[in-house]
Amino acid sequence: MRFAPAPSGYLHVGSARSALFNWLFAKNSGGVFILRIEDTNAELAAPEYYDAITEPLKWLGLEWDEGPYFQSERRDLYLDAIDMLLQSGKAYFCNCSREQIDQRNKETRFQGGYDGYCRDRNLEETPTASVRFRTPDEGLIQVIDLIRGEVTFDNAELEDFVIRRANGTPVFLVANAVDDADMNITHVIRGEDLLNTTPKVLLLWESLDYGVPPIYAHLPLLVGDDRKKLSKRRHSVALGDFKDEGILPEAMVNYLALLGWGPTDEKEIRPIEEIATLFSLESVNKAPAFFDIKKLNHINSHYIAAMSTEVFADEASRYINKIGWKPPHFDMSTLEALTPFLQQRATRVSDVVPLLDWVFEDDLPQETDEKEINKMVKAMGAELVPDILEEAIGRLQDCQWDAETLSKEIREVGDELNTKSQVPVRIAVTGRRTGLPLFEPMAYLSRELVLRRLQTARSNLR
RNA sequence: GCCCCGUUCGUCUAGCGGCCUAGGACGCCACCCUCUCAAGGUGGUAGCACGGGUUCAAAUCCCGUACGGGGUACCA
């Protein structure tokens, strides 16, 4: 089987899902997974796009067994095939412009695409002539599809499509047929958006006498919240972006496998190798699937929580470095000590920053969310808050400086005033209403810094 | 318009004629735990698009309708 993406900038989650299903099927059936870059269109053949495809695949752990092959390097093969079709009369030259075709169709109210104007004009080859394939006038063509069954198309509905552009380059339909035959492709797994192009490839396949065609599997499309096919223009779907925000590859791949397919035993979160053993194309769904970030997040937080503390601490510090966050009090051993608390709370690796900023920064974070500010004001505004803060300041002046003592002292502040004391202290010290457990991280701050924050909060109350 | 493909809780899915008064997961809500938030636990919310058949029996098979998606390029 092969995964054959067109290089058009970065890899997006839809393509990644196609790659994944190819990979799963290959693993499950012991097949060979071939990577082939469909760059028949010169504009897409820029070499820098290569990494944009392979890097995300490697990140996801979807290694290919063979390739990558570049169609731009195999052009002669396709051109030869086109010459054969020309010689056998199954293709012909055409010099119609799009405008001319549209014009004629408008006049004759013809709605089938190309009207076959040059079919029997026996045009000679010229530098500006394109080549069209002569589709049969009658008969049916059948696509064998493991997901959808046998899909039948009426040949008469198929227009004489272009197989070689006026600039002399072959289109992907030819490259598809030639390569799939040449590479002994047995299974083609791709998005449903390509289903309609399949009969054209099959017709070429027949005309080229390639024998038994591959078996197809057209995956249901991934859609966004508008229920439209995921697209780079409308949705944010770059795999690289998810990586940058701290989505783990294991989580991404696990989630993607759950779109259009599900295990029968109801255990959703499991390693991809295990999924491969359960996977089958026949049990893939037919209806489009909504790419749900919330569920991705949930799966990701599960994988984060399951990581060892060492690995996560490393992951977190790499993230901090990458975004160039250099807080004055940063300390690796403190980060390591707080890691278990972080893992329990972070949905994405990027969440560690708002969780930790008050620990490592000198200044308190500025809360900007209005709702949150209101809630904080409310939490801080209770009658007893000034007393709580003052009592806390007094007690922290010269107590022991460890989490246990801090917890005890603040608790006693509450007991003394017959109220709860943690939230006001938390807001004063962390600048936030919610977050990590208060006292463990607090013990890593200097007494002086904590007192300063408490005092600032106290005076702001006036 | 024409062609192709679809339709199980808001979302992703299990189900492949009787085990279904439809199961799980995400989300949401409540409660428990807890002097924050999470995590965890418990419970709840909500669905077989509609109409005809076939059958002793249909979410499961067939037909139609509605709705949705994809394609309709000298992009892939």
Side-chain angles (χ1 to χ4, degrees), chain A residues 271-316:
Chain A
I272 196 66
E273 291 77 16
E274 198 178 313
I275 289 178
T277 66
L278 302 170
F279 183 77
S280 91
L281 282 174
E282 287 86 347
S283 62
V284 170
N285 284 139
K286 302 175 183 75
F290 172 63
F291 185 83
D292 187 359
I293 296 191
K294 282 188 177 150
K295 185 138 184 181
L296 206 212
N297 283 338
H298 171 258
I299 292 175
N300 200 57
S301 51
H302 179 94
Y303 277 91
I304 282 182
M307 287 172 106
S308 76
T309 54
E310 294 78 18
V311 173
F312 184 79
D314 188 55
E315 197 77 33

Side-chain angles (χ1 to χ4, degrees), chain A residues 8-70:
Chain A
S8 55
Y10 60 80
L11 197 73
H12 77 92
V13 290
S15 314
R17 211 262 313 229
S18 292
L20 170 63
F21 279 44
N22 272 280
W23 185 92
L24 287 171
F25 182 67
K27 281 278 175 278
N28 180 272
S29 63
V32 178
F33 177 27
I34 297 176
L35 176 63
R36 188 170 86 207
I37 313 288
E38 306 241 294
D39 53 356
T40 51
N41 184 339
E43 291 148 41
L44 301 180
E48 60 265 30
Y49 288 147
Y50 170 67
D51 286 349
I53 290 173
T54 56
E55 286 306 316
L57 287 181
K58 288 183 199 159
W59 176 64
L60 290 174
L62 304 178
E63 299 289 341
W64 51 96
D65 303 308
E66 223 180 273
Y69 298 108
F70 295 87

